[in-house]
Amino acid sequence: MADVVGDGARHDVQSLLSSPDRDFLIRNNGDQVKVDSLKGKKIGLYFSASWCGPCRRFTPTLVEVYNELSPRGDLEIIFVSGDKDEESFSGYFSKMPWLAIPFSDSDIRSSLNKVFKVRGIPRLVFLDGAGTVSTDSGVKIVGEYGVEGHPFTPERIKELKDQEEAARRNQSLTSLLVHGSRDFVVSSDGNKVPVTELEGKIVGLYFSLSMHKSCSDFSPKLLEVYEKLKEKGESFEIVQIPLDDEEASFNQSFGSLPWLSLPLKDKKCEKLVRYFDLSTLPTLVIIGRDGKTVHSNVAETVEEHGVEAYPFTPEKFEQLAEIEKKREESQTLESILVSGDLDFVIGKEGTKIPVSDLVGKTVLLYFSAHWCPPCRAFLPVLTEAYEKIKAKDNAFEVIFISSDKDQTAFDNYFAEMPWLALPLGDERKKFLNRKFKVRGIPTLVAIGPTGRMVTTKARDLIMEHGADAYPFTAEHLKKFEEQFKESIKGWPEKLKHPLHEEHELVPAQRRKYNCDGCNEAGEAWSYYCQECDFDLHPKCAVGEEKGAKNELDEEGEAAGEEAKEGGDAKEGWVCDGEVCHKA
């Protein structure tokens, strides 16, 4: 994580949080708390909103930290809402144990946003007892360090980072697995196994959440590998790092497994999540015989290669990569779409179309679902491109690969599509998900006429270029790069703008964005700061006479609104407006 420093600005808390006719803050039960009662306390200004997915995910973490720290009496959090109506504000605030600026005081809320230059949420700014900003990166600090980040000063974060660096340099199984007086791990029958008994072995740290479908799908495969290695007499062990909240669900899943585990809700579980920068589940970290990390996650490799991936060394991965390269070079459409008797896809009314009929065509594999708002938003864009491409070249097809949960939803969604599909629940879907590393939907994978993969980014290409993106090859896409370079000849290579004085802005290709100047949608390209994720339309950056905003067409704009507002994702998924990811 980057060094965290405060801007050093000092604020008068009374004038910052009060207005001429209000000298109090509120609790979610309606109680009023005088602003002057906060004198001398550390204050966290929490800029958040109910409509913001990352905010809703971060708030429970902040609640846990606040509840643990609030008995000390030296900290208060103040919610600064970005909601659009009082009902949304009240519903969201009801989940918060801290204070808030009243929703009715929009002037103070707006003023706080300007004072602290809030351009994105969630944002958590900490002021010390004297009103001086200690950090404006509270979300990152709380997310990474939790309670240990207190008092949320640059000095404390440096201290924690130094401790982590020292721990990495001196890493051992003891430093990884022992916590306080607990120097053991547990077996499923409740026995305590000293960590010292694992020294000298290759150990897999299995980060798992029993109710997470990806974990429940992976565990049987890992169990198969574990048992085969044990049969061979290999010196290998697994220690599960449980991330469950409920003891019953953990006991049910772990009770039948032969490996070891940290105790449920052990503080070390939290620390290891941060230590290994956990970003996905399942994760299987391999620790070598010397206690050092060999690989940060071999879960996909175990899924793909099974016991052949052992002992998970760089040399073994080189061998597997060579095998995979040869496999890809010989890949055909039939090798990825035919499995035993499953040698067909379906058309309308369930008609079976042999995969062999598609050989020699460019095929798009469309991973999607009716319940997914971004998928529904993308469907009309893809349909338009499909029809234009088919009109020019019949050697083209799309195959819908559904993540819908029931046949009715699948049938209704497929009825809107002019192309083919895999049957709902087809076992080939799992293989294709793994092969093309599908992390979210909609995803569009392009397979060329030879059967080899062209790109997994076909969705982005169609969003940017429509039917003109066909046939999705690197050679074809170079034309767009050349057109882009030609289109910006004579424009400033970089510029400073009053709205973003921190860094220079440079022309950048951008699929879609919101202009931070006029707050309207744009596409194709912008003047951009990557460090701050700041965009300006060309017209906003250099003037009306030179710039030309790329407007979304009405259908795309309506689809974009549906992506933002199109309802809830299925359980186990999180939708951010662009993609639905596995939670």
Side-chain angles (χ1 to χ4, degrees):
M1 122 180 202
D3 289 339
V4 180
V5 295
D7 64 12
R10 186 169 181 174
H11 301 275
D12 178 72
V13 173
Q14 183 76 29
S15 60
L16 192 69
L17 302 177
S18 305
S19 61
D21 56 354
R22 179 187 55 77
D23 63 353
F24 60 86
L25 302 165
I26 59 171
R27 295 200 181 278
N28 57 25
N29 62 1
D31 287 352
Q32 297 179 357
V33 176
K34 295 287 187 180
V35 174
D36 61 14
S37 69
L38 302 180
K39 284 181 181 176
K41 289 190 176 184
K42 175 172 280 292
I43 293 171
L45 297 175
Y46 182 38
F47 299 86
S48 185
S50 63
W51 48 261
C52 164
C55 298
R56 293 196 305 272
R57 293 193 287 278
F58 175 70
T59 295
T61 300
L62 185 58
V63 168
E64 185 177 337
V65 168
Y66 176 84
N67 286 339
E68 192 164 339
L69 292 175
S70 60
R72 303 185 188 191
D74 65 346
L75 171 70
E76 191 51 77
I77 305 291
I78 299 166
F79 173 37
V80 185
S81 176
D83 283 301
K84 305 301 182 187
D85 60 82
E86 189 146 13
E87 183 179 356
S88 299
F89 163 80
S90 298
Y92 190 36
F93 186 38
S94 69
K95 300 176 176 65
M96 301 176 182
W98 44 74
L99 304 175
I101 303 291
F103 183 78
S104 58
D105 199 339
S106 57
D107 289 343
I108 291 295
R109 290 190 290 118
S110 178
S111 171
L112 289 169
N113 275 277
K114 289 177 182 175
V115 167
F116 295 103
K117 299 178 181 177
V118 177
R119 294 196 177 93
I121 54 175
R123 182 93 176 273
L124 182 58
V125 179
F126 280 109
L127 311 179
D128 67 16
T132 302
V133 175
S134 55
T135 180
D136 61 0
S137 300
V139 169
K140 196 167 189 178
I141 293 171
V142 169
E144 289 192 12
Y145 296 104
V147 172
E148 288 189 2
H150 185 266
F152 312 110
T153 59
E155 294 76 18
R156 176 56 178 162
I157 302 312
K158 184 179 185 306
E159 181 184 350
L160 290 170
K161 288 174 67 178
D162 289 346
Q163 290 174 7
E164 287 186 351
E165 286 304 312
R168 290 183 195 283
R169 287 193 300 271
N170 303 305
Q171 179 179 301
S172 65
L173 273 178
T174 296
S175 71
L176 290 173
L177 298 178
V178 171
H179 182 69
S181 61
R182 181 193 54 72
D183 59 358
F184 57 85
V185 290
V186 297
S187 61
S188 58
D189 58 8
N191 285 335
K192 296 177 180 179
V193 179
V195 170
T196 52
E197 290 191 12
L198 303 178
E199 290 177 357
K201 294 184 177 182
I202 295 174
V203 176
L205 303 181
Y206 177 32
F207 292 82
S208 178
L209 181 61
S210 60
M211 301 302 289
H212 193 288
K213 188 175 187 305
S214 295
C215 294
S216 59
D217 288 345
F218 176 68
S219 288
K221 183 69 176 179
L222 181 58
L223 177 60
E224 179 185 337
V225 170
Y226 179 84
E227 289 177 337
K228 285 181 178 178
L229 291 174
K230 286 294 186 182
E231 286 172 11
K232 290 183 176 182
E234 297 288 353
S235 184
F236 175 68
E237 192 52 75
I238 291 173
V239 176
Q240 190 157 319
I241 314 299
L243 306 179
D244 296 77
D245 289 324
E246 297 179 4
E247 188 171 356
S249 58
F250 168 71
N251 289 341
Q252 183 177 358
S253 63
F254 181 58
S256 59
L257 296 174
W259 52 69
L260 305 171
S261 176
L262 286 184
L264 182 65
K265 297 184 181 179
D266 190 277
K267 286 291 184 183
K268 201 68 175 182
C269 297
E270 229 175 82
K271 289 176 183 263
L272 290 173
V273 165
R274 186 172 69 247
Y275 184 85
F276 288 108
D277 196 20
L278 190 73
S279 61
T280 187
L281 289 176
T283 286
L284 183 64
V285 178
I286 299 300
I287 307 300
R289 300 181 196 280
D290 59 357
K292 308 301 182 187
T293 302
V294 174
H295 200 286
S296 61
N297 189 9
V298 299
E300 279 189 6
T301 309
V302 168
E303 188 83 48
E304 182 71 22
H305 298 282
V307 74
E308 297 303 318
Y310 186 79
F312 314 109
T313 58
E315 296 76 18
K316 174 59 71 171
F317 272 79
E318 285 179 15
Q319 294 173 19
L320 296 177
E322 191 61 33
I323 293 170
E324 188 62 29
K325 182 181 176 183
K326 290 178 180 178
R327 186 183 297 168
E328 287 179 3
E329 287 173 351
S330 62
Q331 178 179 297
T332 65
L333 191 67
E334 288 166 309
S335 73
I336 60 173
L337 283 181
V338 173
S339 175
D341 294 335
L342 298 172
D343 59 356
F344 61 89
V345 293
I346 59 172
K348 302 306 176 183
E349 309 301 327
T351 55
K352 293 183 178 180
I353 313 296
V355 171
S356 57
D357 287 0
L358 305 178
V359 171
K361 295 186 176 185
T362 295
V363 175
L364 297 183
L365 303 178
Y366 179 39
F367 298 84
S368 183
H370 180 263
W371 53 259
C372 162
C375 297
R376 294 199 304 274
F378 178 59
L379 179 58
V381 179
L382 179 57
T383 300
E384 180 182 355
Y386 174 84
E387 290 171 346
K388 287 180 179 178
I389 295 170
K390 288 287 278 188
K392 292 188 296 185
D393 186 356
N394 196 48
F396 171 70
E397 197 49 79
V398 174
I399 300 173
F400 170 42
I401 301 169
S402 176
S403 290
D404 284 303
K405 303 303 181 186
D406 61 80
Q407 192 67 44
T408 300
F410 170 85
D411 291 341
N412 290 341
Y413 196 36
F414 185 38
E416 300 176 37
M417 303 174 183
W419 44 72
L420 308 174
L422 285 188
L424 181 67
D426 194 292
E427 66 184 42
R428 289 172 287 179
K429 174 182 178 290
K430 185 176 178 182
F431 165 77
L432 293 168
N433 271 333
R434 186 172 68 248
K435 179 169 185 61
F436 297 113
K437 297 178 172 58
V438 178
R439 298 282 180 262
I441 55 176
T443 288
L444 201 59
V445 177
I447 307 297
T450 64
R452 295 181 64 181
M453 186 184 76
V454 176
T455 179
T456 59
K457 305 293 185 184
R459 179 209 178 192
D460 289 349
L461 297 175
I462 284 180
M463 292 292 285
E464 287 180 26
H465 308 296
D468 292 338
Y470 180 78
F472 314 104
T473 59
E475 296 77 14
H476 177 69
L477 296 173
K478 273 187 178 178
K479 298 176 185 176
F480 294 112
E481 186 177 343
E482 290 164 3
Q483 290 169 6
F484 169 70
K485 289 178 180 177
E486 186 67 28
S487 71
I488 63 171
K489 277 185 178 177
W491 291 69
E493 292 184 9
K494 53 188 176 182
L495 57 83
K496 277 284 188 78
H497 195 278
L499 291 175
H500 191 72
E501 297 177 347
E502 296 93 329
H503 307 103
E504 291 181 320
L505 305 176
V506 297
Q509 289 179 290
R510 302 281 284 152
R511 182 163 66 82
K512 285 190 178 181
Y513 62 90
N514 279 330
C515 174
D516 290 291
C518 65
N519 202 33
E520 293 183 6
E523 58 183 16
W525 73 287
S526 78
Y527 274 92
Y528 181 57
C529 172
Q530 183 175 10
E531 186 172 344
C532 303
D533 193 26
F534 181 91
D535 288 279
L536 285 181
H537 286 133
K539 73 166 188 175
C540 294
V542 298
E544 293 282 354
E545 70 279 5
K546 289 185 179 179
K549 177 189 162 194
N550 292 294
E551 297 285 357
L552 296 171
D553 57 47
E554 291 182 6
E555 182 179 42
E557 191 169 292
E561 288 305 310
E562 182 182 7
K564 292 177 184 176
E565 303 173 4
D568 296 327
K570 285 290 184 183
E571 184 179 352
W573 293 75
V574 175
C575 297
D576 62 12
E578 287 285 328
V579 178
C580 287
H581 302 274
K582 284 289 182 72

